[in-house]
Amino acid sequence: MAIILKGAEVAEQLNSSTIQRVEKLKEKGVSPCLAIVRVGDSPEDLAYAKSAQKRCQQNGVEVMSFALPVTAEQDELMKIIEKINTSRVIHGCLLLRPLPKHFDDEAIRNALSPEKDIDGITDVSLAGVFSGANRGYPPCTAAACIEILKHYGVELKGKRAVVVGRSLVIGKPVAMLLLGENATVTICHTKTQNLPEVCRNAQVLIAAAGRAGIIGRGFFAPDQVVIDVGINVDENGKLCGDADFEAALELVGAITPVPGGVGTVTTSVLVEHVVSAAEKSVGM
Ligand code: NAP
């Protein structure tokens, strides 16, 4: 029976250190603050904004919310980003994406000041992830995967890691972070041949395809550690990951649940990044 790598335990540890750092900042008269920017009212955006806000409150971090209707124009969103860039009280910005199709995603995300880019959306932040320069912040979900592996003492050095998914939000950055931990990394996508075989060969398998249950029985191996990033809804309307969780329980060494796995840790990483940006703003 596989070990279930619960996110709550990891989040709790991250939060307790973040709370102490927030207290130190407040002693210096700095109140860390996150701006959450949303265009439209998609259920996914509303749910993520709500959980980010809740996690900020738990950690003593303030939140300023900016919401535009789905019909808003590009320059309205640009004005909000400019306001955030020049604000002396906002330390980080969470821009909920994907944006509606009529927005120029590249122009918008790169308009954000890299110092406030706590979710690794700008090219400057991503370059830091790829160069390994440790400048800026990696995307929170990618960083959450590594936090989970480290928390549960999973050795990465020299291990075969396979990432299913190559998006800029998760697949590519998590692959770079794994490489930074000296894993030997393979990135898979829809054109990958023999996907089950490639995955079976992984000692650490990161599932970030966004397809319910595609990582099935034939993808698993004994002692494998599976980090399931996917957030999907199954045919019964239930939240599920990319992995067939029941099959994985029988076949692998350890797996993160969905819900209660990566998502739980992502918001704690987000808050930690805001606190870190606030510290940097006062030279701490
Ligand atoms: P995305 O932009 O749609 O990218 C999906 C990637 O998976 C693509 O690279 C795609 O390959 C690959 N893929 C899709 N189906 C595949 C298949 N059958 N076989 C092999 N590769 C396949 O999605 P994303 O934004 O990276 O998100 C991935 C998942 O993570 C989603 O379920 C999302 O909801 C979830 N998510 C979770 C969190 C969290 O905190 N837990 C945060 C954000 C997102 P191609 O490039 O060839 O198309």
Side-chain angles (χ1 to χ4, degrees):
M1 181 83 169
I3 297 167
I4 299 178
L5 307 174
K6 291 194 179 141
E9 203 182 291
V10 188
E12 225 166 84
Q13 198 183 38
L14 275 170
N15 293 345
S16 66
S17 118
T18 304
I19 287 168
Q20 287 174 16
R21 287 162 64 188
V22 170
E23 277 166 13
K24 288 213 176 87
L25 275 164
K26 288 192 174 165
E27 279 165 19
K28 285 189 178 277
V30 180
S31 194
C33 176
L34 172 70
I36 302 180
V37 183
R38 175 166 58 79
V39 181
D41 288 322
S42 82
E44 292 82 12
D45 283 357
L46 288 170
Y48 191 36
K50 194 173 158 198
S51 67
Q53 185 152 13
K54 190 171 157 203
R55 192 48 59 88
C56 282
Q57 272 160 0
Q58 286 169 347
N59 285 267
V61 168
E62 285 179 33
V63 171
M64 279 169 104
S65 295
F66 298 85
L68 286 172
V70 74
T71 50
E73 296 295 332
Q74 167 116 350
D75 61 343
E76 292 176 75
L77 182 52
M78 276 294 192
K79 277 191 191 126
I80 290 178
I81 304 277
E82 276 158 28
K83 195 168 162 184
I84 290 167
N85 284 346
T86 53
S87 165
R88 295 170 73 93
V89 295
I90 296 171
H91 301 98
C93 172
L94 173 66
L95 172 64
L96 297 168
R97 290 159 67 229
L99 293 167
K101 294 233 173 335
H102 63 281
F103 284 90
D104 178 348
D105 180 75
E106 197 177 329
I108 297 282
R109 64 185 175 82
N110 282 310
L112 181 63
S113 160
E115 294 79 50
K116 299 191 178 183
D117 178 20
I118 44 77
D119 197 21
I121 63 170
T122 62
D123 288 347
V124 173
S125 300
L126 287 168
V129 175
F130 279 67
S131 70
N134 204 15
R135 231 177 277 127
Y137 304 92
C140 296
T141 307
C145 296
I146 305 296
E147 288 291 343
I148 293 171
L149 291 165
K150 285 192 172 166
H151 177 90
Y152 286 105
V154 178
E155 175 70 58
L156 292 168
K157 190 165 127 192
K159 295 292 164 69
R160 294 182 304 278
V162 170
V163 179
V164 183
R166 57 173 163 182
S167 74
L168 267 185
V169 183
I170 303 164
K172 283 178 186 168
V174 81
M176 288 305 121
L177 295 176
L178 288 164
L179 192 62
E181 298 294 332
N182 295 311
T184 302
V185 186
T186 304
I187 306 176
C188 301
H189 44 80
T190 53
K191 308 293 182 292
T192 298
Q193 292 184 355
N194 307 323
L195 186 63
E197 192 187 322
V198 177
C199 291
R200 257 196 325 269
N201 192 37
Q203 292 166 295
V204 174
L205 176 60
I206 313 278
R211 301 282 180 276
I214 64 147
I215 308 295
R217 261 176 199 283
F219 292 61
F220 300 130
D223 300 328
Q224 196 175 55
V225 176
V226 182
I227 304 293
D228 193 349
V229 184
I231 301 178
N232 315 293
V233 178
D234 70 12
E235 64 272 16
N236 304 315
K238 236 180 102 196
L239 214 58
C240 70
D242 288 356
D244 177 343
F245 189 70
E246 298 306 321
L249 280 182
E250 285 171 34
L251 297 169
V252 304
I255 181 165
T256 56
V258 179
V262 178
T264 311
V265 182
T266 299
T267 47
S268 291
V269 170
L270 176 83
V271 177
E272 195 274 327
H273 287 179
V274 178
V275 171
S276 180
E279 288 169 346
K280 281 185 193 164
S281 75
V282 288
M284 276 171 80

